[in-house]
Amino acid sequence: MRGKRNSKRAAWLLTFVLLGGIGLAGCQQQEAVENMKAFRQVGINKMNEGDYEGAVKAFQKALDQSLANILQMEMEQDICRYKATAQYNSGDTKGAIDTCNALIEFDENDAKAYFIRGCVNLKEKDSDNAKKDYEKALELSGDYALYLSVYENLAGAGFTQQAEELLANALTLKADKPEDHRERGHIYLIRGEYEKALKELDQAVNKGDTKALLYMAQVYEAQGQEKKAKPVYENYLKKNGTDTSTMISLGEIQMESGKYEEALEMFQQALSTENPENEKRLRRNEIICYENLLDFASAREKMASYLEDYPEDEDAKRENIFLQ
């Protein structure tokens, strides 16, 4: 495997040298990099909108800009990971596997590629290979956030015992950085060990990690201390900005708790911003809130407008029949 990877890198470097030898202008290389970045961003925007097939096409266009420049290698790997994720979400599991295999063949230490392939294998009910890929990803990374992602996937697939063991293993890792304490607090929150969670989150906040405030607010909510939770949520928004992704996260937390009025207010606040990101997701969540509040007139009105802008959403079409 290492020999293949080294020969691949050597071939890439040789191509770079040859291209340089025929006088490839620096401005051309810069233009190619800018084009790659632009198509990459288009792909990310498409993913945020739920248009995964469009995202795959955009990421491929980004890769098509390559001039075999060795300096572009990391960016191309990054784009390939995004492409594999979009393929996975679009239902093209074979394409996602092929993209991950290519990433791993190029760099056998690519933890993210193993993780994505593990997700695809899990979706394909190949739990044995999924677990092997997850184990390899964690062995290479040892990152708290990755442990939590694997935990959520395994728990969601019904492997409860393995998922809980994974969280216990994560807590044996060192906590050197503020974000490490934040994720440890998140783990204790999941395990229902609220005092330990608050202790870790306090350390994270005291070391300047304001994102830990979100989990701290959730701990207070889990303890039934909503009066304490509300100002912490507000402080979190104040510290991290009122970007739509933050408001979506908070709104969906409220939805999961059955607090649809609060969630609706959060989604509408996000929609009132200029050119909000994830507008499609926000508008779908807005409709769901109206439905759960039994305000079907508003839900029908919002759905009609939504389908004008997103006529390809088959799930929304079926839901609209119910609303009618």
Side-chain angles (χ1 to χ4, degrees), residues 195 198 217 219-231:
E195 294 305 319
L198 286 174
V219 172
Y220 287 133
E221 274 202 330
Q223 292 177 318
Q225 301 183 62
E226 303 210 357
K227 287 184 178 180
K228 280 190 175 182
K230 186 177 179 182

Side-chain angles (χ1 to χ4, degrees), residues 40-92:
R40 174 184 177 276
Q41 188 58 53
V42 170
I44 292 172
N45 293 343
K46 293 283 186 184
M47 286 182 70
N48 288 335
E49 294 168 4
D51 181 6
Y52 298 112
E53 291 182 2
V56 172
K57 291 177 182 176
F59 292 133
Q60 186 55 53
K61 284 182 180 178
L63 294 169
D64 290 341
Q65 307 303 309
S66 173
L67 295 174
N69 186 332
I70 196 169
L71 301 177
Q72 296 175 2
M73 285 167 50
E74 286 188 15
M75 190 189 304
E76 289 196 32
Q77 285 177 280
D78 177 69
I79 292 168
C80 282
R81 294 185 199 109
Y82 272 115
K83 179 184 174 183
T85 304
Q87 288 172 312
Y88 162 74
N89 283 295
S90 72
D92 181 12

Side-chain angles (χ1 to χ4, degrees), residues 217-265:
Q218 290 179 42
V219 172
Y220 287 133
E221 274 202 330
Q223 292 177 318
Q225 301 183 62
E226 303 210 357
K227 287 184 178 180
K228 280 190 175 182
K230 186 177 179 182
V232 178
Y233 274 129
E234 291 171 350
N235 193 22
Y236 172 80
L237 275 175
K238 182 180 177 181
K239 298 285 187 181
N240 292 281
T242 54
D243 60 284
T244 55
S245 61
T246 299
M247 286 186 271
I248 286 174
S249 297
L250 291 176
E252 290 180 348
I253 288 168
Q254 300 289 2
M255 283 175 65
E256 289 174 7
S257 301
K259 299 175 182 178
Y260 294 103
E261 287 185 4
E262 292 86 344
L264 180 60
E265 182 181 347

Side-chain angles (χ1 to χ4, degrees), residues 38-291:
F39 281 118
R40 174 184 177 276
Q41 188 58 53
V42 170
I44 292 172
N45 293 343
K46 293 283 186 184
M47 286 182 70
N48 288 335
E49 294 168 4
D51 181 6
Y52 298 112
E53 291 182 2
V56 172
K57 291 177 182 176
F59 292 133
Q60 186 55 53
K61 284 182 180 178
L63 294 169
D64 290 341
Q65 307 303 309
S66 173
L67 295 174
N69 186 332
I70 196 169
L71 301 177
Q72 296 175 2
M73 285 167 50
E74 286 188 15
M75 190 189 304
E76 289 196 32
Q77 285 177 280
D78 177 69
I79 292 168
C80 282
R81 294 185 199 109
Y82 272 115
K83 179 184 174 183
T85 304
Q87 288 172 312
Y88 162 74
N89 283 295
S90 72
D92 181 12
T93 52
K94 183 181 183 303
I97 289 284
D98 289 343
T99 303
C100 289
N101 287 345
L103 280 164
I104 292 167
E105 182 180 355
F106 179 73
D107 181 1
E108 62 188 14
N109 294 319
D110 191 334
K112 292 178 182 177
Y114 283 106
F115 171 73
I116 297 167
R117 194 172 71 178
C119 294
V120 180
N121 282 325
L122 195 62
K123 186 175 184 179
E124 290 293 281
K125 311 297 184 185
D126 186 356
S127 58
D128 289 339
N129 279 321
K131 290 173 185 176
K132 287 178 183 177
D133 280 332
Y134 285 151
E135 286 173 8
K136 186 66 175 179
L138 293 172
E139 174 192 324
L140 291 169
S141 173
D143 178 72
Y144 277 102
L146 190 60
Y147 267 90
L148 282 159
S149 294
V150 175
Y151 160 79
E152 289 171 1
N153 290 347
L154 290 177
F159 298 103
T160 308
Q161 183 178 342
Q162 293 95 323
E164 290 176 355
E165 289 173 357
L166 197 69
L167 287 187
N169 291 339
L171 290 171
T172 65
L173 301 175
K174 289 183 178 180
D176 298 322
K177 298 174 287 187
E179 55 265 35
D180 293 341
H181 289 289
R182 179 221 308 158
E183 296 305 338
R184 286 177 67 85
H186 186 189
I187 291 170
Y188 280 123
L189 168 60
I190 292 170
R191 288 162 61 99
E193 299 178 57
Y194 301 129
E195 294 305 319
K196 290 181 180 179
L198 286 174
K199 182 179 179 181
E200 294 286 351
L201 295 169
D202 275 332
Q203 288 189 64
V205 172
N206 290 336
K207 292 182 179 181
D209 187 342
T210 57
K211 292 182 180 179
L213 291 166
L214 178 60
Y215 296 130
M216 188 176 289
Q218 290 179 42
V219 172
Y220 287 133
E221 274 202 330
Q223 292 177 318
Q225 301 183 62
E226 303 210 357
K227 287 184 178 180
K228 280 190 175 182
K230 186 177 179 182
V232 178
Y233 274 129
E234 291 171 350
N235 193 22
Y236 172 80
L237 275 175
K238 182 180 177 181
K239 298 285 187 181
N240 292 281
T242 54
D243 60 284
T244 55
S245 61
T246 299
M247 286 186 271
I248 286 174
S249 297
L250 291 176
E252 290 180 348
I253 288 168
Q254 300 289 2
M255 283 175 65
E256 289 174 7
S257 301
K259 299 175 182 178
Y260 294 103
E261 287 185 4
E262 292 86 344
L264 180 60
E265 182 181 347
M266 194 66 68
F267 296 138
Q268 291 180 334
Q269 183 182 345
L271 285 166
S272 69
T273 60
E274 186 177 354
N275 299 320
E277 293 181 14
N278 300 319
E279 182 177 353
K280 181 179 180 182
R281 183 171 167 187
L282 281 166
R283 289 171 66 179
R284 282 293 283 122
N285 284 343
E286 183 185 29
I287 294 167
I288 292 169
C289 285
Y290 276 124
E291 289 173 350

